[in-house]
Amino acid sequence: MAKISINLKEGAIKKDENIVVGIDLGTTNSLVAYVQEDKALAVKGKDGKNTLVPSIIHFDKQDVIVGDKAKLMLVEDPEHTIYSVKRLLGKSYEDIEAYQQNLGYRIIDQDDDALVKIEVDGTYHSPISLSAEILKYLKKRIEEELNQEIQKVVITVPAYFNDSQRQATRDAGKLAGLEVLRIVNEPTAAALAYGIGLSQEEEKTVAVYDLGGGTFDVSILNISGGIFDVISTNGDTFLGGDDFDKKIIEFWKSRYFSTREDFYTDKSFYQSIRIQAEKAKKMLSTSSKFTTKIGNQEIQLTIDEFDDMIRGLVERTIESCKMAMEDAGLSPKDIDEVIMVGGSTRVPLVRKSVGNFFEQNIHIDLNPDEVVALGAAVQANVLAGKQEGVLLLDITPLSLGIETMGGLMDVIISRNTKIPASLAREYTTSVDGQKNLKIGVYQGERDLVEHNRKLGEFILSNIPSMPAGIPKIQIQFILDADGILVVKAKELRSEVEQSITIKSQYGISEEEMAKMLLDSIKNAKSDMTVKALKEAVNEGNNIVVNSERFLRQHSSWLSDEQKNKMSSLLGELKEQLKGENKDLINQAMTRLNDYSAPIAHEAMDRVIQSSLGGKSVDKIDT
Ligand code: AMP
């Protein structure tokens, strides 16, 4: 808790140097909160009115304006006003091409950078630097409130944010002059805001339904002994209150402005329609009818009309809830609490549908716009060391692994593993004297890396010359609490080491993630066939290398018959390896193995015998 003490001698307020604050960097609104006297508080602006800062940036001739004033400029000067920037964080032009027409500003894709940029008057801004402007504004706000400089923060992100989106959020913090102590998942923060999980004895399963302006996610958390464990997540980064607004806009267009050709192209007209649509939606959370005027045209909307137009969208969120529950292996009766997060959960149809699905009352006591920031403040307080015994765990949504021989995906950290996590596996070389090993890192569920997403690659070089199969190469994946991956490769005999931190160029959306998962299920059978063949080929190639080495090393005592027979079986195997029939490859391997196993045993016996001065293994045993 942030305590303020007064130095009576000097009459000065002693500041709490060890203060960490929580920031919810939202698609539509952002806010900052801190803990005082054990209570989380969202900070209002100087006017004492709003805790919410619209996540909108306006470029004036000289200044950068953020928040309410920038929101006003959406109508007056949409060309210089940027909103929904969180949707673009860590994304490429391709990712958002289809969405571009709904933005009032110009998005460009420069050749030298795969990440999207926004053009304002010939100047290019990255979503990171724009997010940093919002963070700077929040930094100033909390500094004015607490009358001291603030640097340490916790920033929340949607549960589905991938590593590059998390990294982009971190970078935005750094650019704003902040030290980001932790990136926390929004649902985890929401549970913390309700104080759930702060007591060691508590055991609960919680569903967090978060419908903001631009993103939706649902997370199922298991909370036990002060540990927060996200057991499943589902959602859609392209679904939120903005889409409700769009439905209203379309409805009004067809009802009142069907002949107006510049409906979308007259930017300031379109933006004023947008603002009225949002107003209508908000009003319909507490009334049954909305009426206003745009120009001379009176426009209306009733709650029944609104419910009808958004029913499909709300249903999509319920489908996500179903999938999250299925993934968690739970049914509604297993859920102890349902927490509602995000401004759009004020919509009556949303509340009703979620309550019906989970068959229980839902938590709406805290302001749904502030819940995440309040929870971030609680987490910040924990990190400041002011609240002991609370740990946070999350999960990784897709498997992480490396490419092995034949383009196979070898999973090192599997999907739904709790993070932070550190897992390692041992590999070896496939060629005698191999000096370098290329390590390709992939994310996804398919058996072949070509179907998965490449995150990066690096080369472990200077491996001392050894026969194939002898080097022991340990590959370690370290996934930190923010979902950032470090991959280390080490040849254990020589201690040669190499590592990389994976900051992928740009992220993948939930749609892509869901597609990757679906594809892996759809193609499971054919993937397995290809995998079995590749594995047989890998094993066959290893046997060929080892057998050829064996023939070379032991030719002095092997009989001609043994040499000839082994060579011919080897030839048969090599022939089969050129084909694509795994059964024939396996049969050829078995024939070679069956014939050479007793010879190999004899060879081993001879080696031991000579090193023991003539005694055979059998003689020692008896
Ligand atoms: P967030 O991203 O959590 O800040 O959510 C903001 C979204 O909530 C925007 O789409 C708002 O229009 C919406 N919203 C805010 N207040 C209300 C309300 N009273 N009724 C319906 N939607 C609201």
Side-chain angles (χ1 to χ4, degrees):
M1 107 201 66
K3 280 210 177 93
I4 297 177
S5 36
I6 299 175
N7 182 332
L8 291 174
K9 243 194 214 162
E10 294 163 15
I13 291 176
K14 213 174 136 215
K15 285 167 188 152
D16 181 355
E17 303 295 341
N18 183 25
I19 187 159
V20 186
V21 303
I23 290 178
D24 172 6
L25 185 61
T27 310
T28 323
N29 294 301
S30 300
L31 65 159
V32 55
Y34 71 109
V35 172
Q36 187 179 47
E37 300 292 332
D38 277 340
K39 198 172 161 26
L41 298 169
V43 180
K44 292 190 176 119
K46 267 195 273 185
D47 59 2
K49 272 203 229 147
N50 291 328
T51 53
L52 297 185
V53 174
S55 304
I56 301 177
I57 304 118
H58 173 71
F59 289 92
D60 202 347
K61 289 251 152 24
Q62 296 94 30
D63 290 328
V64 181
I65 299 165
V66 175
D68 289 315
K69 283 191 191 143
K71 189 168 181 174
L72 291 175
M73 300 311 282
L74 268 184
V75 178
E76 267 180 53
D77 190 8
E79 298 265 339
H80 297 102
T81 311
I82 317 291
Y83 60 93
S84 285
V85 70
K86 186 172 171 180
R87 283 182 184 267
L88 310 178
L89 258 187
K91 301 259 174 173
S92 76
Y93 180 70
E94 261 180 354
D95 290 334
I96 47 108
E97 209 176 354
Y99 176 72
Q100 188 185 4
Q101 69 178 73
N102 298 319
L103 299 171
Y105 45 88
R106 245 172 70 76
I107 288 171
I108 48 125
D109 178 29
Q110 282 174 315
D111 286 346
D112 60 345
D113 191 344
L115 289 173
V116 77
K117 291 247 172 77
I118 296 153
E119 190 203 313
V120 183
D121 272 348
T123 314
Y124 302 124
H125 301 273
S126 74
I128 293 176
S129 68
L130 294 167
S131 302
E133 292 298 337
I134 300 170
L135 292 172
K136 275 189 220 162
Y137 185 89
L138 296 171
K139 181 176 191 288
K140 196 157 158 257
R141 177 174 273 205
I142 183 90
E143 286 177 345
E144 278 169 5
E145 167 85 6
L146 297 176
N147 197 23
Q148 72 178 88
E149 203 193 327
I150 295 295
Q151 241 153 16
K152 292 179 182 169
V153 297
V154 164
I155 304 179
T156 57
V157 295
Y160 263 123
F161 254 30
N162 62 28
D163 50 355
S164 89
Q165 290 166 299
R166 282 164 201 265
Q167 190 59 44
T169 308
R170 256 180 192 283
D171 292 346
K174 216 181 282 170
L175 209 58
L178 294 166
E179 186 188 340
V180 184
L181 295 191
R182 179 74 69 90
I183 299 286
V184 176
N185 281 341
E186 288 162 10
T188 302
L192 282 169
Y194 275 96
I196 299 169
L198 288 175
S199 129
Q200 286 290 320
E201 292 76 48
E202 206 169 6
E203 281 218 9
K204 275 197 169 139
T205 307
V206 177
V208 182
Y209 177 100
D210 183 347
L211 189 61
T215 58
F216 165 67
D217 55 79
V218 56
S219 310
I220 311 298
L221 310 185
N222 188 288
I223 300 165
S224 170
I227 294 176
F228 289 65
D229 190 4
V230 183
I231 45 180
S232 72
T233 59
N234 209 294
D236 189 337
T237 38
F238 285 85
L239 180 59
D242 294 353
D243 299 298
F244 294 177
D245 301 352
K246 268 183 235 151
K247 288 275 179 201
I248 300 175
I249 294 169
E250 283 162 24
F251 179 77
W252 281 346
K253 182 180 188 303
S254 64
R255 184 190 267 182
Y256 302 113
F257 304 101
S258 57
T259 52
R260 187 167 176 146
E261 282 181 3
D262 62 355
F263 186 89
Y264 290 112
T265 46
D266 180 343
K267 289 264 163 34
S268 43
F269 167 77
Y270 180 74
Q271 293 300 357
S272 65
I273 287 267
R274 227 176 77 92
I275 285 169
Q276 287 308 320
E278 191 185 6
K279 250 195 194 156
K281 174 186 70 176
K282 287 184 179 175
M283 184 170 237
L284 293 176
S285 288
T286 48
S287 339
S288 57
K289 194 171 176 184
F290 171 84
T291 310
T292 192
K293 260 190 164 181
I294 292 184
N296 293 325
Q297 177 71 55
E298 187 179 89
I299 50 179
Q300 289 189 346
L301 189 68
T302 67
I303 184 73
D304 291 341
E305 287 163 347
F306 179 58
D307 282 357
D308 280 345
M309 67 182 75
I310 63 164
R311 193 159 278 123
L313 296 172
V314 177
E315 196 39 50
R316 264 169 62 193
T317 70
I318 299 298
E319 285 302 315
S320 279
C321 293
K322 268 187 208 156
M323 287 196 270
M325 293 290 282
E326 263 171 41
D327 274 357
L330 299 174
S331 63
K333 67 170 180 355
D334 301 315
I335 300 291
D336 299 308
E337 322 255 2
V338 180
I339 300 174
M340 299 297 266
V341 178
S344 303
T345 60
R346 289 202 187 86
V347 172
L349 183 71
V350 170
R351 290 186 171 179
K352 203 167 111 204
S353 309
V354 177
N356 283 347
F357 175 74
F358 287 105
E359 299 168 14
Q360 60 191 286
N361 290 331
I362 51 177
H363 275 291
I364 45 171
D365 324 343
L366 290 175
N367 179 337
D369 287 314
E370 292 180 358
V371 176
V372 167
L374 297 177
V378 173
Q379 168 69 80
N381 207 42
V382 171
L383 290 180
K386 296 171 183 172
Q387 199 152 355
E388 282 168 12
V390 185
L391 250 163
L392 295 177
L393 289 176
D394 288 319
I395 56 160
T396 172
L398 290 171
S399 300
L400 297 162
I402 62 160
E403 175 176 4
T404 54
M405 289 278 290
L408 289 177
M409 169 88 172
D410 202 34
V411 171
I412 296 186
I413 296 185
S414 56
R415 166 176 142 71
N416 284 346
T417 298
K418 288 171 199 164
I419 58 171
S422 168
L423 287 153
R425 267 200 177 187
E426 267 181 38
Y427 298 86
T428 190
T429 49
S430 52
V431 178
D432 285 341
Q434 189 173 330
K435 287 208 176 72
N436 301 319
L437 185 73
K438 190 157 90 183
I439 294 146
V441 182
Y442 290 82
Q443 184 180 39
E445 306 312 309
R446 301 284 296 274
D447 285 330
L448 297 180
V449 292
E450 65 186 87
H451 298 133
N452 288 331
R453 176 172 174 251
K454 187 166 190 172
L455 296 177
E457 71 176 27
F458 67 108
I459 289 169
L460 176 66
S461 45
N462 298 327
I463 303 171
S465 183
M466 284 182 254
I470 298 299
K472 280 179 150 191
I473 296 160
Q474 187 189 59
I475 299 192
Q476 189 182 17
F477 275 37
I478 305 154
L479 195 56
D480 74 9
D482 300 331
I484 311 268
L485 178 68
V486 174
V487 180
K488 286 187 178 167
K490 187 175 182 180
E491 201 291 300
L492 297 176
R493 294 176 197 277
S494 58
E495 308 252 304
V496 169
E497 206 174 334
Q498 198 57 255
S499 76
I500 50 161
T501 301
I502 305 277
K503 286 184 209 160
S504 47
Q505 247 184 332
Y506 58 86
I508 40 172
S509 66
E510 272 76 274
E511 281 87 351
E512 282 172 85
M513 202 172 323
K515 191 175 169 299
M516 281 167 88
L517 291 175
L518 272 177
D519 281 353
S520 75
I521 297 164
K522 259 197 312 215
N523 296 297
K525 212 169 159 212
S526 66
D527 276 7
M528 256 162 61
T529 316
V530 180
K531 189 180 178 189
L533 172 65
K534 299 240 174 187
E535 279 176 349
V537 170
N538 287 349
E539 200 183 337
N541 282 331
N542 278 340
I543 290 180
V544 168
V545 170
N546 289 334
S547 303
E548 283 175 342
R549 191 189 315 134
F550 183 87
L551 280 173
R552 271 198 315 275
Q553 286 174 347
H554 299 279
S555 66
S556 59
W557 61 269
L558 286 171
S559 71
D560 284 346
E561 189 200 336
Q562 284 173 322
K563 283 187 216 167
N564 290 339
K565 180 76 182 168
M566 265 185 86
S567 298
S568 95
L569 288 170
L570 239 173
E572 271 176 38
L573 174 58
K574 279 183 178 168
E575 202 46 47
Q576 293 305 342
L577 284 170
K578 290 182 197 151
E580 298 218 320
N581 188 327
K582 84 164 193 321
D583 293 333
L584 292 179
I585 298 172
N586 281 330
Q587 284 162 18
M589 277 194 294
T590 310
R591 279 197 299 275
L592 177 60
N593 267 339
D594 286 352
Y595 181 76
S596 51
I599 306 174
H601 188 79
E602 191 187 338
M604 200 153 58
D605 208 15
R606 278 169 180 270
V607 171
I608 295 169
Q609 228 176 351
S610 68
S611 67
L612 291 178
K615 289 179 186 163
S616 83
V617 175
D618 289 348
K619 278 175 194 151
I620 290 171
D621 279 351
T622 48

